[in-house]
Every structure is written in C-alpha cells, then in structure tokens.
Amino acid sequence: MRLTRTTTLDPIPHLTCVCHSEGEIADILAKYAEAGISNTLALAGDPPRSIQNYDRKADAFRHAADLVRFIRRFNERGAHPDARGFGIGVAGFPEGHPDTPTGWTRWTI
C-alpha cells in the first residue's frame, strides 16, 4: 500500500486462496479499498512448502473462481470508494492446469 502513497503507480496486489479465511480476505480487501487500490489479482496459490500434506479443505476458497465470487460480493456491498469496486484479474494455464488430467496433454501438436 506504500506504493499508492509514494508513487503514481497503480499496484495490483495478489490474493491467494491458501491459508485464508473469508474474514481475513474481507479485512485485506477493506484495507486495499481504504488505500485506494483499484485492482487485485485472484489466484488459487500454491500450498505452503513448510506444511507437509497441506489440506486445502481447510481454506475458505478452494479455487480462484471462489475467491473471484467473494471479491465481486465485496464490490456489490459498495465498500470500495470507486463505485465499480475492484477490477479483478485472474491467471490461467494455457496448456491446461497441471492437476487436470484432460488438459492439453491429450493433444498431439
């Protein structure tokens, strides 16, 4: 958030589903909104390397799409100073997600 105070850059903080509750994400979004941040990138995120056999079932969001829906609901509540709310970016795997067995690996190019 320092970047919004000290530069003219428009930072795009990354949010991940890993190790976060809905309350934690809501608090983070509120702080970003208060700081005037206008965009965010929603990612599934990698499991922490420090936690062996990490179980994603404990996370409030299993997939980035779940996190995007949550951010959209935040936007709909009008909690962002910009009436449009946060712009939401996502990332993907053009060749198919590594955990998806039916991805591009089945294609021979």
Side-chain angles (χ1 to χ4, degrees):
M1 294 185 285
R2 174 182 51 81
L3 289 175
T4 59
R5 291 189 311 270
T6 60
T7 73
T8 58
L9 298 173
D10 188 13
I12 304 175
H14 298 48
L15 290 173
T16 69
C17 299
V18 179
C19 297
H20 288 295
S21 68
E22 285 189 9
E24 290 169 328
I25 294 293
D27 290 345
I28 292 168
L29 290 171
K31 288 176 185 170
Y32 288 167
E34 185 179 309
I37 292 172
S38 55
N39 296 296
T40 188
L41 186 64
L43 304 166
D46 295 324
R49 292 181 185 165
S50 61
I51 303 174
Q52 290 185 6
N53 302 317
Y54 182 76
D55 186 2
R56 290 190 89 111
K57 291 180 209 152
D59 296 333
F61 311 99
R62 285 232 29 213
H63 306 285
D66 302 323
L67 182 55
V68 168
R69 279 189 284 278
F70 186 82
I71 298 168
R72 290 182 71 189
R73 286 194 306 270
F74 181 93
N75 285 346
E76 290 165 1
R77 289 196 307 267
H80 196 285
D82 184 329
R84 298 171 297 177
F86 287 103
I88 306 168
V90 296
F93 293 84
E95 294 84 22
H97 191 278
D99 293 340
T100 306
T102 60
W104 282 96
T105 56
R106 69 178 178 189
W107 298 97
T108 349
I109 299 176

